């Protein structure tokens, strides 16, 4: 047992030894939370004598669960029944295998993945974008809404259509004994909620429960935990409210902020000793996050001591920024620094384009983590396909990609018929449509489709002419005629995709500005050289979004795009406090060297825009300025809230009202303006 405590600090040991009752371990970045959790589990089993079968430890990723399981088992004396340590969804899967028969379903069900889910939804032939339907069905399930509930709250035509697909989708799953990922938790909760004896029996089985990354739990996971603790209150949660950065996908920061209200007599332990970063890095992180009002409060203390000051980098534009960073990284690599100790982080994926090009120019090998390279993204491939068809109408491969984007009612069967007939006639698809008499075409693909195809050809010709007449304004005409952005506007990740499109439009304008006599062909050739770079063998540095970097650490970290509008994001639906938490997460990835970069101008919304330096420089104490605390609302557009009289509703808008905030809320079709202090978030 001495082995368990010999590597723990005082706060970690305190957390390990506190056994009964609810406990919140507030674990700062790099403070050894995994070691604390696994040590506590070993202490419970080997020292206190709690049977391993009576413990339950839940986390969010298979990788984290595997690491924790290996660490814990190495510290525990071998037992015939190891502790259950897994993800939330794995727990749901195991639970349903035993109890799903209570819902009248068989336990030999199959769990489908995201691609299977989309294939099933596709069968129901809806005009609503597939990604939006998939996302909304997931939201309904995590909000415990049935198809009938979805119908009841649907006001817009699109959402009524989604509710219809949701109903058909659920019928298909039940008929084929299938479950999707969201069912694993939603049905587990349904069983526990509708069967009091089962809830009691399950809670008595798992007498000691631990939850990792508690700040990332959503409303459904919170409700599930309440059921699992219904027979006792031995719940230990570990997390960091300052690293809650997944509000956009349903994580509810109130779960950790108000843990002591949900579970009476909560014992709080703060892990503030940081084993990752030097003092200057932590000083910046601490100063920045202190500006948030909605937090429990802690201060990271470096165990590594002093180090180099945080560096700042100023550039005229994104091209200069990319060149400076590439040159700096090149120096590090030449000095012997290992490539996998270097990372470049950004807030939005569109910023990777100039960075990727800069690194390629300097022949710096890189790996893009958690995402596609800029030119490999679907929306950019769609744009390039449009340009290829406009320059060469006989490019049937590219034409097939865009012929039904945006949707024109041309299904796969129609396109396949056109392709087959064009090959038989020895023509390109474009030429076949153009030269085939209308009556013959109508016999092949029906009259409505024939009219649509002729309109599509006319639009391509129109933009092809504009490409020759006025290169600089061509990109505006492309969007105006073909409405490419409309393909993505209703998707869950619309902001990212539209930002990427704007970045591409800006890239085109910049190319034309620098090469006034250029042609569309030359631009496409230049793109081919940039997007088909040979992958350099050997070690690579890492580039990634801040979201993808959570849980990782690097000796050298560069953060780019520290401008107002990029970090923090500003606008409808953005949450300044969550943006600040993103900044905090990014800073605390660095072990010894941190560089924060900003530019004077950047392509934004398809135009070059002058930008202001991010407020985060001042807030982190890296430039002159007073310490300013802002009043922030924890409510934003799209949030679900409850009013004690009007019931549940969705926020349509937020505005300042004296010292409070006025919320415009849709209560099932009735719109009301209510102060934020009179509602609670669901």
């Amino acid at each position: 047992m001495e082995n368990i405590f010999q590597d723990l600090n005082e706060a970690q040991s305190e957390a390990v030894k506190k056994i009964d009752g609810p406990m919140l371990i507030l674990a700062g970045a790099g403070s050894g939370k995994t070691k604390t959790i696994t040590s506590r589990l070993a202490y419970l089993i080997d020292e206190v004598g709690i049977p391993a079968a009576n413990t339950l430890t839940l986390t969010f990723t298979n990788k984290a669960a595997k690491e924790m399981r290996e660490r814990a088992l190495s510290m525990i004396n071998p037992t015939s029944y190891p502790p259950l340590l897994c993800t939330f969804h794995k727990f749901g899967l195991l639970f349903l295998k035993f109890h799903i028969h209570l819902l009248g379903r068989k336990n030999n069900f199959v769990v489908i993945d995201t691609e299977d889910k989309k294939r099933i939804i596709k069968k129901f032939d809806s005009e609503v974008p597939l990604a939006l339907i998939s996302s909304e069905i997931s939201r309904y399930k995590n909000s415990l809404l049935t198809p009938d509930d979805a119908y009841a709250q649907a006001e817009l035509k699109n959402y009524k259509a989604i509710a219809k697909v949701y109903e058909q989708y659920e019928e298909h799953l039940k008929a084929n004994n299938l479950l999707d990922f969201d069912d694993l938790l939603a049905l587990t909760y349904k069983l526990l909620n509708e069967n009091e004896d089962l809830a009691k029996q399950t809670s008595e089985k798992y007498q000691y429960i631990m939850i990792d990354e508690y700040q990332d739990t959503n409303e459904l996971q919170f409700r599930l935990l309440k059921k699992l603790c219904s027979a006792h209150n031995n719940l230990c949660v570990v997390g960091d409210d300052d690293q809650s950065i997944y509000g956009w996908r349903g994580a509810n920061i109130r779960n950790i902020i108000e843990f002591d209200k949900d579970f009476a007599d909560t014992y709080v332990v703060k892990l503030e000793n940081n084993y990752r970063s030097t003092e200057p890095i932590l000083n910046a992180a601490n100063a920045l996050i202190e500006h948030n009002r909605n937090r429990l409060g802690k201060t990271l203390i470096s165990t590594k001591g002093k180090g180099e000051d945080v560096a700042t980098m100023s550039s005229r534009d994104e091209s200069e920024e990319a060149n400076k960073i590439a040159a700096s990284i090149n120096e590090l690599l030449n000095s012997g620094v290992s490539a996998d100790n270097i990372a470049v982080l950004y807030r939005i994926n569109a910023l990777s384009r100039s960075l990727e090009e800069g690194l390629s120019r300097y022949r710096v090998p890189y790996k893009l983590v958690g995402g596609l390279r800029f030119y490999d993204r679907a929306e950019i491939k769609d744009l390039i396909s449009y340009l290829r068809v406009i320059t060469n109408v006989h490019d049937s491969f590219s034409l097939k990609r865009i012929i039904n984007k945006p949707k024109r009612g041309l299904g796969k069967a129609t396109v396949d018929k056109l392709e087959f007939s064009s090959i038989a006639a020895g023509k390109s698809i474009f030429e076949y449509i153009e030269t085939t008499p209308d009556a013959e075409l109508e016999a092949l693909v029906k009259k409505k489709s024939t009219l649509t195809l002729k309109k599509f050809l006319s639009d391509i010709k129109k933009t092809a002419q504009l490409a020759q007449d006025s290169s600089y304004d061509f990109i505006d005409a492309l969007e105006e005629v073909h409405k490419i952005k409309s393909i993505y506007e209703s998707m869950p990740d619309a902001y990212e995709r539209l930002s990427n499109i704007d970045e591409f439009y800006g890239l085109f304008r910049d190319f034309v500005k620098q090469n006034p006599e250029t042609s569309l062909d030359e631009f496409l050739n230049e793109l081919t050289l940039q997007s088909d770079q040979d992958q350099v063998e050997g070690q690579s540095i890492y580039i990634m979004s801040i979201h993808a970097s959570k849980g990782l650490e690097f000796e050298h970290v560069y953060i780019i795009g520290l401008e107002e509008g990029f970090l923090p994001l500003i606008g409808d639906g953005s949450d300044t406090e969550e943006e600040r938490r993103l900044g905090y997460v990014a800073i605390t990835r660095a072990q010894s060297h941190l560089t924060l970069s900003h530019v004077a101008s950047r392509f934004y919304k398809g135009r070059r825009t002058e930008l202001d330096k991010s407020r985060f420089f001042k807030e982190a104490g890296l430039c002159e300025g007073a310490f300013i605390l802002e009043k922030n609302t924890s409510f934003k557009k799209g949030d679900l809230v409850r009013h004690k009289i009007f019931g549940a509703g969705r926020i349509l808008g937020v505005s300042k009202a004296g010292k409070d905030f006025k919320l415009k809320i849709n209560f099932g079709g009735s719109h009301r303006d209510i102060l934020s202090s009179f509602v609670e978030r669901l």
Side-chain angles (χ1 to χ4, degrees):
M1 199 42 50
E2 285 302 316
N3 291 338
I4 286 182
F5 292 102
Q6 68 181 9
D7 293 328
L8 300 181
N9 62 37
E10 189 178 334
Q12 290 170 331
S13 297
E14 181 185 357
V16 167
K17 291 175 181 175
K18 175 76 172 87
I19 300 304
D20 295 316
M23 175 165 63
L24 167 62
I25 302 176
L26 201 57
S31 64
K33 74 176 178 64
T34 302
K35 181 194 287 185
T36 306
I37 294 172
T38 51
S39 297
R40 186 173 187 271
L41 183 58
Y43 182 75
L44 273 171
I45 295 167
D46 277 359
E47 180 70 8
V48 182
I50 305 298
N54 292 138
T55 69
L56 173 64
T57 306
L58 299 177
T59 187
F60 279 83
T61 66
N62 289 318
K63 181 185 173 187
K66 183 174 182 289
E67 181 191 350
M68 288 166 63
R69 192 181 305 113
E70 288 171 355
R71 282 210 211 179
L73 291 177
S74 70
M75 300 168 72
I76 298 170
N77 292 323
T79 62
S80 58
Y81 196 104
L84 182 54
L85 198 165
C86 60
T87 64
F88 272 92
H89 291 88
K90 179 63 180 293
F91 172 78
L93 174 64
L94 296 172
F95 183 84
L96 291 174
K97 283 288 182 184
F98 283 101
H99 304 294
I100 199 168
H101 65 277
L102 296 172
L103 294 174
R105 298 172 74 163
K106 296 175 182 175
N107 72 349
N108 62 340
F109 57 80
V110 172
V111 181
I112 61 172
D113 62 19
T114 305
E115 288 308 308
D116 292 328
K117 177 181 178 181
K118 287 180 178 176
R119 276 194 288 271
I120 293 167
I121 292 170
K122 235 178 182 177
K123 293 179 181 178
F124 305 126
D125 197 27
S126 173
E127 286 299 307
V128 182
L130 181 61
L132 178 62
I133 298 174
S134 179
S135 171
E136 282 299 293
I137 288 175
S138 183
R139 184 178 69 80
Y140 291 146
K141 291 194 176 189
N142 279 281
S143 301
L144 301 171
L145 298 175
T146 65
D148 286 342
D149 296 329
Y151 269 123
Q153 68 170 221
E155 291 179 34
L156 302 176
K157 181 183 175 184
N158 265 6
Y159 283 88
K160 287 177 181 172
I162 292 171
K164 175 67 177 172
V165 174
Y166 180 26
E167 181 180 46
Q168 294 170 312
Y169 172 73
E170 284 294 271
E171 287 170 357
H172 180 91
L173 293 190
K174 287 174 185 173
N176 293 277
N177 201 24
L178 303 173
L179 299 184
D180 65 21
F181 203 58
D182 297 308
D183 286 328
L184 296 177
L185 296 189
L187 295 183
T188 296
Y189 176 78
K190 180 179 171 67
L191 278 165
L192 292 172
N193 190 49
E194 294 177 356
N195 297 271
E196 198 174 318
D197 289 344
L198 178 60
K200 186 179 179 213
Q201 172 194 331
T202 307
S203 183
E204 287 173 346
K205 175 178 172 58
Y206 300 112
Q207 285 283 327
Y208 291 88
I209 299 174
M210 281 197 288
I211 310 297
D212 185 28
E213 301 286 8
Y214 188 66
Q215 77 281 349
D216 295 336
T217 53
N218 62 20
E219 180 67 18
L220 176 54
Q221 287 157 339
F222 167 72
R223 291 196 194 186
L224 186 56
L225 286 174
K226 291 287 278 186
K227 291 294 176 186
L228 292 174
C229 293
S230 59
H232 61 81
N233 62 355
N234 299 325
L235 174 65
C236 169
V237 302
V238 187
D240 184 0
D241 55 322
D242 293 332
Q243 294 188 76
S244 178
I245 58 173
Y246 296 117
W248 52 276
R249 72 179 187 197
N252 192 344
I253 193 173
R254 75 151 296 283
N255 290 353
I256 190 166
I257 294 286
E258 299 183 8
F259 182 78
D260 60 339
K261 293 179 182 174
D262 297 323
F263 299 91
D265 302 319
T266 291
Y267 190 81
V268 179
V269 178
K270 295 183 181 181
L271 305 185
E272 297 177 298
N273 283 352
N274 175 285
Y275 297 92
R276 177 187 300 158
S277 309
T278 56
E279 277 181 15
I281 292 169
L282 294 186
N283 288 342
N286 287 328
L288 173 64
I289 204 64
E290 278 182 33
H291 284 72
N292 271 4
R293 290 288 185 88
N294 195 28
R295 66 188 292 257
L296 295 168
K298 65 182 177 315
T299 302
L300 294 179
I301 302 160
S302 176
T303 60
K304 295 178 74 170
K306 299 188 183 303
E308 289 189 17
D309 288 341
V310 175
T312 59
M313 182 184 288
S314 301
S315 306
R316 288 189 305 273
D317 56 29
E318 67 276 14
S319 182
E320 183 182 336
E321 175 184 61
N323 287 338
K324 282 183 176 179
I325 285 174
S328 175
I329 290 173
N330 225 4
E331 281 185 31
L332 290 175
L333 296 175
N334 290 335
S335 71
V337 174
S338 177
D340 58 8
N341 277 329
I342 304 169
V344 187
L345 312 181
Y346 40 80
R347 171 65 179 91
I348 61 171
N349 289 320
L351 268 61
S352 79
R353 193 270 307 167
S354 56
L355 178 64
E356 289 177 59
E357 291 176 5
L359 294 171
S360 296
R361 278 194 294 271
Y362 277 78
R363 298 195 63 77
V364 173
Y366 68 88
K367 287 178 185 169
L368 182 63
V369 178
L372 292 169
R373 298 192 325 151
F374 184 79
Y375 294 106
D376 290 337
R377 290 167 185 151
E379 59 274 19
I380 302 304
K381 284 189 167 184
D382 288 345
L383 279 166
I384 292 172
S385 293
Y386 262 102
L387 298 189
R388 284 177 175 161
V389 171
I390 286 165
T391 58
N392 174 19
V393 295
H394 303 303
D395 181 349
S396 293
F397 178 80
S398 296
L399 187 138
K400 275 178 65 185
R401 183 179 179 96
I402 62 169
I403 198 166
N404 200 39
K405 289 182 177 180
K407 286 193 174 182
R408 300 181 174 93
L410 302 170
K412 185 178 183 300
T414 299
V415 178
D416 287 346
K417 285 178 187 176
L418 288 170
E419 184 178 28
F420 181 80
S421 300
S422 68
I423 292 170
K427 299 177 179 179
S428 69
I429 295 176
F430 191 101
E431 186 183 10
Y432 177 77
I433 298 168
E434 188 176 39
T435 58
T436 301
D438 285 3
E440 192 177 326
L441 207 54
E442 285 172 18
L444 182 71
V445 297
K446 297 182 182 176
K447 185 174 182 179
K448 186 180 178 184
S449 293
T450 297
L451 292 171
T452 300
L453 289 166
K454 295 290 185 181
K455 172 73 165 56
F456 174 64
L457 262 59
S458 171
D459 287 345
I460 291 292
K461 289 177 182 175
K462 182 179 177 182
T463 41
Q465 185 59 49
L466 288 165
Q468 294 177 345
D469 294 345
S470 175
S471 293
Y472 191 83
D473 295 329
F474 159 72
I475 212 76
D476 291 320
L478 177 75
E479 179 59 43
E480 186 179 337
V481 173
H482 297 286
K483 297 180 171 47
I484 297 166
K485 285 185 178 182
S486 69
I487 305 169
Y488 302 102
E489 282 173 346
S490 58
M491 290 188 177
D493 55 353
Y495 183 88
E496 284 285 356
R497 289 180 183 269
L498 296 178
S499 294
N500 291 336
I501 290 172
D502 285 334
E503 176 75 7
F504 185 89
Y505 287 168
L507 170 67
F508 177 84
R509 291 191 184 95
D510 199 46
F511 184 81
V512 172
K513 197 173 179 181
Q514 292 177 28
N515 308 275
E517 303 302 316
T518 195
S519 69
L520 202 50
D521 276 337
E522 289 173 283
F523 175 69
L524 285 169
N525 289 337
E526 187 72 18
L527 277 191
T528 302
L529 292 175
Q530 291 173 353
S531 57
D532 293 335
Q533 287 282 343
D534 291 334
Q535 291 299 301
V536 186
E537 294 295 324
Q539 280 197 325
S540 305
I541 71 155
Y542 295 97
I543 66 174
M544 68 192 86
S545 69
I546 298 171
H547 282 102
S549 76
K550 189 168 177 290
L552 303 176
E553 55 186 57
F554 304 91
E555 186 182 345
H556 300 265
V557 170
Y558 298 81
I559 307 171
I560 66 170
L562 274 150
E563 302 100 30
E564 292 290 293
F566 286 93
L567 183 59
L569 279 183
I570 298 169
D572 203 17
S574 66
D575 180 340
T576 307
E577 295 220 345
E578 183 153 318
E579 293 298 307
R580 206 172 273 117
R581 293 194 291 271
L582 275 162
Y584 174 85
V585 165
I587 289 170
T588 54
R589 299 311 94 197
Q591 295 171 325
S592 57
H593 298 83
L594 174 65
T595 301
L596 307 183
S597 171
H598 70 95
V599 299
S601 78
R602 196 181 290 277
F603 277 119
Y604 187 56
K605 301 292 186 187
R607 305 279 178 186
R608 180 156 295 285
T609 306
E610 299 299 313
L611 297 169
D612 292 325
K613 194 173 179 180
S614 170
R615 70 190 75 179
F616 291 171
F617 281 100
K618 185 181 291 185
E619 294 180 354
L622 299 173
C623 65
E624 292 297 315
F627 185 92
I628 302 169
L629 282 171
E630 297 177 342
K631 173 68 176 175
N632 286 288
T633 174
S634 59
F635 295 105
K636 60 184 182 296
K637 184 179 177 182
D639 282 350
L640 281 172
V641 294
R642 179 184 285 120
H643 186 274
K644 63 182 180 182
I645 295 174
F646 302 118
R650 188 175 294 280
I651 295 176
L652 303 177
V654 181
S655 58
K656 196 82 172 68
K659 294 183 178 180
D660 208 334
F661 288 86
K662 184 170 70 176
L663 310 177
K664 187 176 187 63
I665 305 171
N666 174 11
F667 293 103
S670 173
H671 295 183
R672 296 181 180 273
D673 292 330
I674 293 177
L675 292 177
S676 59
S677 53
F678 288 92
V679 298
E680 62 176 352
R681 185 164 19 190
L682 283 173

